[in-house]
Amino acid sequence: PPLGFTPMVERALCRAEEEQGRLGHESIAPAHLLLGMLQDDRGLACAMMEALDADLETVRRKVLGTLPGALAKVRLSAAEQVDGVVQEESMPGVTATDLAGRLLKAHGVLTEGLVERSVEAKLLLLAALSGEHLFLLGPPGTAKSLLARRLAKVCQGSFFERLLTRFTVPEEVFGPLSLKALENDELRRKVEGFLPDSDVAFLDEVFKANSSILNALLALLNERVFDNGGSRIDVPLWCTVAASNELPESDELDALFDRFLLRRAVPRVSDVALPVFLRTTLQVDAAVDSPAGVADAAPSADAATDAGSAASLLSAEDSAKLRAEVAETVAFPDRLLQVIADLRTYLRDEAEPPVLVSDRRLVKAARLLRVAAGAAGADEVSEIDLLLLQHVFWEKEPEQGAI
């Protein structure tokens, strides 16, 4: 007969598997089980540590120190740096160790209760740090909108969400026309609470919008500006997540698709991970229905922007500071620049089907790699950073990124 587990053991096993996935290990080791047990405040392991007057964080670090791999070392280093650090009222400069700690916490916020969504969360954080946008391709119910909502929670910013169809009118996205402005023969929108006023946005089925919306999105996404009547206003938009069940078929949508530098195909939860997903879902205390791949209730936008919430982990200002710093401190070797140039030539001339990489996408990809290297604490871009290009250089099929 199959073995039965108590709820406490099930929680430990689920968290051990999450730790194994976060650290990029192929199998679960005893250290992963220990980390999972130490996360359970209701479990016996934490009770024993408290009875022995042992510091849980110290024990976690010792366990992490026994695990191999770069991710375990980065996590251990970040934990050592952020412990006991009190965030000042004025945001300090973005140092590598401070950023690593905040990125780990932000990743935890994005992936809490999720199964097989670690890569998507990391790409979303990288897009935000780079001042870029993320496109997610996949079926409904795969946590695409939840990740965007949680990013708003990370930055404690305003969140805008809209499902676009060919019948969606600009007023639903950019705000209604101001009646007072109309009295003065001015066409000006009240943008408060709409896309031009948001920090994080989620646009579902983005390619189904009509031309009047698509044209306005081009400048808003790329230049962070919105033409409101006779004036052009700056928008606070940090990052946009766009989603679709299908790729654009018309060449007219290529310009919009090009605005999303990072692209990722999001599958449903795999058969292997289904037991973990179901166990995790059954442990959710809130009596809500969860979409596939989501094991907890999505936080509302109101909760993310509540005035009493904790200070933001990351913000658009932090991202801008990081980009300015890496431009001066992170080197990009000429040999790797040549690799990127050769890759574009290969994708255009020899790949089947061909992948056409625009000049803008090529430049932004190089900047993205520099930000990724800087966020990891490196002083120059390395060959391993180039693996990120698999999420940048594809058009019609996600498999093109494997090249």
Side-chain angles (χ1 to χ4, degrees):
L3 293 175
F5 298 109
T6 65
M8 182 178 65
V9 174
E10 288 184 349
R11 292 196 301 270
L13 291 173
C14 289
R15 286 168 176 152
E17 190 157 7
E18 290 175 358
E19 289 290 343
Q20 172 233 336
R22 289 194 189 105
L23 297 172
H25 295 149
E26 294 182 356
S27 58
I28 297 177
H32 299 123
L33 287 170
L34 285 173
L35 290 173
M37 293 166 64
L38 291 172
Q39 288 184 34
D40 189 1
D41 296 335
R42 297 175 290 171
L44 291 178
C46 290
M48 291 176 61
M49 294 296 103
E50 185 176 354
L52 295 172
D53 199 24
D55 181 61
L56 285 177
E57 188 57 36
T58 300
V59 176
R60 287 192 187 99
R61 292 179 192 173
K62 289 183 178 180
V63 175
L64 271 175
T66 66
L67 287 168
L71 290 176
K73 294 179 181 177
V74 169
R75 186 171 170 184
L76 177 60
S77 175
E80 292 173 346
Q81 293 293 336
V82 302
D83 183 50
V85 175
V86 179
Q87 190 172 16
E88 301 178 2
E89 291 184 4
S90 58
M91 181 63 66
V94 181
T95 62
T97 54
D98 175 52
L99 179 64
R102 284 190 280 159
L103 283 174
L104 282 174
K105 291 182 179 179
H107 184 266
V109 171
L110 294 180
T111 59
E112 182 180 2
L114 302 185
V115 177
E116 296 185 338
R117 293 296 175 262
S118 180
V119 173
E120 288 79 7
K122 291 174 182 177
L123 290 176
L124 180 55
L125 288 173
L126 179 57
L129 286 177
S130 306
E132 297 297 338
H133 309 290
L134 173 65
F135 171 74
L136 298 177
L137 172 68
T142 49
K144 299 187 292 294
S145 62
L146 176 57
L147 287 171
R149 283 196 292 274
R150 288 184 171 181
L151 182 63
K153 182 178 180 180
V154 166
C155 71
Q156 294 299 310
S158 57
F159 178 70
F160 176 82
E161 180 179 7
R162 189 70 74 234
L163 170 64
L164 302 179
T165 71
R166 60 193 179 112
F167 302 110
T168 304
V169 295
E171 285 75 14
E172 298 178 65
V173 180
F174 307 113
L177 292 173
S178 171
L179 296 180
K180 289 185 178 180
L182 286 174
E183 293 176 356
N184 299 322
D185 294 331
E186 296 179 5
L187 287 176
R188 190 169 66 247
R189 297 187 182 278
K190 299 175 65 176
V191 299
E192 292 78 10
F194 291 88
L195 180 59
D197 187 47
S198 63
D199 297 292
V200 179
F202 177 74
L203 301 177
D204 200 5
E205 296 301 335
V206 63
F207 301 122
K208 294 183 179 179
N210 56 54
S211 59
S212 61
I213 293 177
L214 295 176
N215 291 335
L217 283 177
L218 294 178
L220 195 148
L221 293 175
N222 191 55
E223 304 170 30
R224 269 41 173 217
V225 294
F226 176 67
D227 292 323
N228 193 9
S231 61
R232 171 166 283 195
I233 61 174
D234 295 326
V235 299
L237 188 63
W238 184 28
C239 183
T240 299
V241 179
S244 178
N245 301 329
E246 56 190 10
L247 290 170
E249 298 180 357
S250 171
D251 294 340
E252 298 175 355
L253 298 171
D254 288 348
L256 178 66
F257 195 27
D258 198 53
R259 297 302 196 266
F260 296 93
L261 184 62
L262 284 164
R263 302 165 178 178
R264 169 76 174 174
V266 186
R268 292 187 173 92
V269 174
S270 66
D271 293 341
V272 175
L274 272 179
V276 178
F277 166 62
L278 293 174
R279 282 199 304 266
T280 307
T281 304
L282 292 174
Q283 294 168 8
V284 176
D285 294 329
V288 295
D289 293 329
S290 299
V294 185
D296 63 346
S300 66
D302 293 338
T305 56
D306 187 89
S309 300
S312 64
L313 292 172
L314 293 169
S315 67
E317 290 74 16
D318 297 331
S319 302
K321 289 179 182 178
L322 175 65
R323 293 195 296 273
E325 289 181 10
V326 300
E328 298 180 358
T329 60
V330 178
F332 208 126
D334 290 339
R335 71 180 189 281
L336 297 186
L337 290 175
Q338 186 60 51
V339 169
I340 296 176
D342 293 343
L343 179 59
R344 182 170 87 155
T345 302
Y346 173 82
L347 291 173
R348 182 193 63 210
D349 298 339
E350 300 184 42
E352 187 59 42
V355 180
L356 302 179
V357 180
S358 67
D359 293 345
R360 174 174 55 204
R361 174 165 291 268
L362 194 69
V363 171
K364 287 191 172 187
R367 291 173 179 165
L368 178 88
L369 297 178
R370 189 169 60 184
V371 170
D379 56 7
E380 86 170 11
V381 179
S382 65
E383 283 80 357
I384 196 170
D385 294 316
L386 299 186
L387 292 175
L388 287 168
L389 295 177
Q390 66 182 299
H391 304 296
V392 179
F393 289 168
W394 63 268
E395 286 183 319
K396 303 302 181 185
E397 300 175 6
E399 292 76 13
Q400 292 174 322
I403 298 176

